[in-house]
Amino acid sequence: MRSRLSPWRVRYQQRFAAPQTVVVQPTTWCNLDCRYCYLPFRKLKHQMPLEVAEALAQAVAQFDDSGHPIGIVWHGGEPLAVGQQKFAALLAPFEALRRAGRVHHYVQTNATLLTETWCDLLAADDVRVGVSIDGPAALNAERVDLRGKPAFDRILRGISQLREHGIPFSVISVVGALGIAMPEELLEFLTSLGGHSVGFNLEEVEGVNTDRQPPTAVQAEEFWRRTLTWTREHPGAPAVREVERLAEYLHLIRSGQRAEWDGRRLDPIPTISWKGDVVLLSPELADTAAPEYGDFVAGNILDRPLPEILRDAHRLRYVRDFLTGLDRCQAECEFFDFCRGAQAANRYFENGDLTTTETNYCRVSRQALVTALSTLATKEAVA
């Protein structure tokens, strides 16, 4: 007799696909001390043992080959702070998978440690690079080192190294109280850096970053309206991640491909800590003390294979609460068709409960973007 799947497992499988992204924490330590950082252990120098990387590579090899490489995203702390020899050793267990087209490496870095030899290593392993920089010096002032000194010039030197070595890179900017009112200046500066794409993270309340005022929905709508206008007027500029996502959604809906959009499931985004602990749904939940949710730890890859941990994810209380919240989002929110549901970390850090729905992150990063486009379209129709 065929055993019946539990209702929670069915709900999980309906919402989530196999992982396409695995976030890996090679170290907790960062050589910067950004004032808005959410990481609680960034001043501790824990490093990932090689056995964790080996166990992860073995686990990734067990996933079905979808024809698209799984993104292995090295994200800290500051990943390059482990040093070139250690970083190369952590990449080594994945080499056969990389050569077979099963994985692709990414690193998110503050770029201050980049040198010619680092660039040689990144190029040799075809590591795709994301650089964190918040704009020109005045907008980047929150990015400081451990002595409180601005990191801006060092970030630019690192970017120069990437350009000199022909290494493509993207940019992620945290948009705070100053940047939210200066989208054109921000976009012009980021374009001048030579990256191929830009992502904007409007400052959020999460982790240990709890005492700063995030942007409001009104500020965000104005930011996105001006961003949309600027990108349309500068077709050769780098792609803006959020604008591209909205454009893809609209293209699929308008071209009769709604089924493709509706059929897309969420990525569980397993995050592997330096010691092998697995956290699901949002990388920002890693290293979070939350006794009611078992600190969000789904297991450890040194004890259980990652595919097995993912198979049983529906048993976790925090995953069930998140699924409940997703159902509520779909039933209650007019933006769900595009947004696909509030982020787990934002629900927890803003509302303290994963069964909840709307967050400020929703309002400023999803809803305000859609509303800004609608406002522009209405103005153009009237004009």
Side-chain angles (χ1 to χ4, degrees):
M1 181 180 297
R2 180 180 296 178
S3 60
R4 296 179 59 189
L5 296 178
S6 77
W8 283 108
R9 187 171 185 181
V10 171
R11 289 171 68 182
Y12 178 83
Q13 291 177 341
Q14 288 173 339
R15 293 287 190 187
F16 287 95
Q20 289 302 300
T21 302
V22 179
V23 178
V24 191
Q25 181 190 53
T27 179
T28 54
W29 189 69
C30 187
N31 63 321
L32 297 187
D33 191 19
C34 302
R35 296 188 178 106
Y36 51 68
C37 185
Y38 64 87
L39 295 171
F41 302 136
R42 61 184 183 273
K43 294 184 180 180
L44 300 179
K45 294 188 176 182
H46 298 305
Q47 287 195 8
M48 178 174 282
L50 295 182
E51 62 179 332
V52 173
E54 292 166 352
L56 178 57
Q58 292 170 8
V60 170
Q62 296 176 39
F63 291 129
D64 293 335
D65 186 354
S66 67
H68 300 283
I70 293 174
I72 306 296
V73 181
W74 301 90
H75 192 3
E78 168 51 47
L80 305 192
V82 298
Q84 296 171 35
Q85 184 175 359
K86 178 63 176 287
F87 192 75
L90 291 172
L91 295 180
F94 298 90
E95 184 58 13
L97 290 168
R98 185 184 74 83
R99 290 184 177 276
R102 296 284 307 280
V103 303
H104 207 129
H105 292 291
Y106 298 77
V107 64
Q108 188 65 36
T109 175
N110 60 44
T112 60
L113 302 176
L114 282 169
T115 61
E116 181 175 350
T117 52
W118 261 116
C119 289
D120 290 341
L121 189 160
L122 297 173
D125 287 286
D126 196 18
V127 180
R128 300 183 182 183
V129 179
V131 174
S132 300
I133 184 171
D134 298 338
L139 299 185
N140 198 72
E142 305 279 16
R143 290 189 179 273
V144 296
D145 64 19
L146 298 174
R147 297 172 295 174
K149 295 186 176 181
F152 182 71
D153 290 340
R154 282 168 282 175
I155 297 173
L156 290 187
R157 283 198 295 270
I159 291 173
S160 294
Q161 287 285 344
L162 294 173
R163 288 205 306 259
E164 289 172 12
H165 289 82
I167 297 177
F169 64 94
S170 61
V171 171
I172 291 180
S173 291
V174 174
V175 180
L178 288 177
I180 197 72
M182 302 171 61
E184 295 87 0
E185 294 90 336
L186 180 54
L187 285 158
E188 287 166 6
F189 172 78
L190 296 177
T191 297
S192 74
L193 297 179
H196 58 77
S197 67
V198 172
F200 291 126
N201 292 343
L202 274 60
E203 188 173 345
E204 306 163 44
V205 173
E206 60 185 3
V208 296
N209 183 35
T210 60
D211 58 354
R212 294 163 58 90
Q213 181 63 44
T216 66
V218 172
Q219 291 174 313
E221 183 177 342
E222 176 71 4
F223 175 86
W224 291 121
R225 184 187 64 77
R226 290 162 61 182
T227 296
L228 287 163
T229 300
W230 191 93
T231 56
R232 186 168 56 182
E233 294 172 350
H234 298 78
V240 176
R241 178 186 60 188
E242 292 76 15
V243 173
E244 290 294 296
R245 185 173 188 268
L246 179 56
E248 181 189 20
Y249 164 71
L250 293 173
H251 168 72
L252 291 174
I253 300 305
R254 291 170 174 173
S255 62
Q257 300 179 73
R258 167 172 283 282
E260 179 181 337
W261 179 264
D262 289 343
R264 294 184 183 183
R265 291 177 292 163
L266 300 175
D267 192 331
I269 319 176
T271 296
I272 315 302
S273 80
W274 67 275
K275 58 184 176 182
D277 285 342
V278 179
V279 170
L280 304 176
L281 308 184
S282 291
E284 295 84 0
L285 294 174
D287 295 329
T288 298
E292 71 276 27
Y293 287 133
D295 295 343
F296 299 105
V297 176
N300 187 290
I301 60 172
L302 296 179
D303 302 325
R304 296 177 67 200
L306 181 58
E308 187 176 308
I309 292 172
L310 288 166
R311 185 195 65 199
D312 292 337
H314 65 282
R315 303 178 187 274
L316 298 166
R317 178 188 166 190
Y318 79 90
V319 172
R320 292 185 175 190
D321 279 3
F322 181 71
L323 290 170
T324 298
L326 276 182
D327 290 343
R328 290 185 58 198
C329 282
Q330 186 168 13
E332 301 170 10
C333 183
E334 63 180 323
F335 295 93
F336 181 84
D337 196 48
F338 167 63
C339 175
R340 316 303 285 181
Q343 297 297 313
N346 299 98
R347 288 193 204 176
Y348 180 75
F349 291 122
E350 291 188 37
N351 302 336
D353 185 350
L354 291 177
T355 66
T356 58
T357 55
E358 187 176 287
T359 64
N360 191 64
Y361 172 83
C362 298
R363 291 187 287 271
V364 302
S365 295
R366 295 289 190 268
Q367 297 177 16
L369 175 61
V370 174
T371 305
L373 179 62
S374 177
T375 300
L376 282 175
T378 300
K379 287 182 178 179
E380 291 175 359
V382 172

